[in-house]
Amino acid sequence: MGLFDDLSRFLESRLEEFLRNNPHLELEALLEQLREQEEDTLRLIADLQLQEKRSQDDILSTAQEIQRWHIRVQKAKTAGREDLAAAAGQREAALLREGNQRWGQMQGLKERINQSQKLLQKIQQRRQEVQTKAAEAQTERARATTQQRLETNGWQNPTSSYSSGFDDLEEKFRSWETQDELEKMKRNLGK
């Protein structure tokens, strides 16, 4: 296991180093991670809402059962059947406890839905911030690439002002060098 742990740490450190050296890729990775978190949170919210709907249906069903047993308690008391009334009363009490428990579970689900929706808003806000940063980074990279190309092309292709100035200077040197050569020849002939 130690070899795999070492290899895993090595690969993670290389990945982190690579992402530090390529910040635009780090932003892309972060964006992808936020997209996945957003999808997971949306699935969680949908699942919790489905559970809440089932819970509401169970509560409604339990309430109807409680009502049915309450009527039976009253009917048995009216008929003088205390044995049935007591048993029906116990069933009604058990259903009330079950209903209260289900109500508490539904309230817990509602709280989790609320928290998940707040989390979703934070994720979406963070994703928007990262998208803005990624767009800025892309614009900056494009500007830097364009600037680099201009500078590189400047070295490869001299501008016309330099080339015409260079031609004038070249001409002056040639004229001066020719004059100098003629002067030397005259002196040599004169000897």
Side-chain angles (χ1 to χ4, degrees):
M1 283 299 204
L3 178 64
F4 290 115
D5 291 339
D6 291 345
L7 180 61
S8 177
R9 278 193 297 275
F10 172 74
L11 292 175
E12 284 176 18
S13 68
R14 295 294 295 161
L15 177 61
E16 288 172 7
E17 180 183 335
F18 176 76
L19 291 176
R20 274 194 307 273
N21 293 336
N22 298 285
H24 62 285
L25 294 178
E26 186 173 15
L27 289 173
E28 288 298 321
L30 184 56
L31 265 177
E32 184 59 32
Q33 185 180 22
L34 288 169
R35 273 188 217 106
E36 289 173 7
Q37 286 178 353
E38 184 176 4
E39 289 172 8
D40 290 346
T41 305
L42 285 170
R43 276 193 295 273
L44 175 64
I45 290 171
D47 183 51
L48 289 172
Q49 288 172 336
L50 183 63
Q51 289 179 38
E52 179 187 25
K53 174 71 172 114
R54 284 187 200 135
S55 181
Q56 289 171 348
D57 291 345
D58 288 346
I59 289 170
L60 182 59
S61 175
T62 303
Q64 289 170 343
E65 278 293 301
I66 291 169
Q67 187 178 17
R68 192 174 78 141
W69 283 100
H70 183 72
I71 292 170
R72 285 182 171 174
V73 167
Q74 296 304 318
K75 199 187 258 186
K77 282 184 181 180
T78 304
R81 296 285 313 261
E82 289 301 319
D83 60 324
L84 289 177
Q90 288 176 355
R91 175 71 58 93
E92 180 184 15
L95 286 169
L96 279 169
R97 285 189 299 274
E98 183 181 327
N100 285 336
Q101 185 180 14
R102 288 185 177 181
W103 183 264
Q105 289 172 345
M106 185 184 71
Q107 294 297 70
L109 286 170
K110 285 185 178 196
E111 181 59 31
R112 286 182 62 197
I113 290 170
N114 188 26
Q115 290 172 351
S116 297
Q117 288 172 335
K118 287 179 183 177
L119 175 63
L120 179 63
Q121 288 175 346
K122 288 180 182 178
I123 290 170
Q124 289 171 335
Q125 181 182 359
R126 179 73 174 130
R127 184 175 166 201
Q128 185 63 41
E129 291 169 0
V130 172
Q131 282 177 325
T132 302
K133 284 183 182 179
E136 289 171 0
Q138 186 174 5
T139 303
E140 180 60 28
R141 269 196 329 276
R143 188 194 64 73
T145 302
T146 303
Q147 182 65 30
Q148 186 179 15
R149 254 191 238 128
L150 288 174
E151 290 172 1
T152 302
N153 288 342
W155 282 104
Q156 292 172 350
N157 302 325
T159 60
S160 60
S161 64
Y162 285 138
S163 62
S164 65
F166 180 73
D167 289 344
D168 290 345
L169 185 59
E170 180 72 26
E171 189 62 36
K172 287 178 183 176
F173 264 94
R174 284 186 183 170
S175 173
W176 175 68
E177 289 169 342
T178 306
Q179 280 297 94
D180 190 43
E181 283 296 316
L182 283 172
E183 291 295 321
K184 283 182 184 176
M185 288 176 149
K186 284 181 186 176
R187 276 180 278 168
N188 286 339
L189 285 176
K191 288 186 178 179

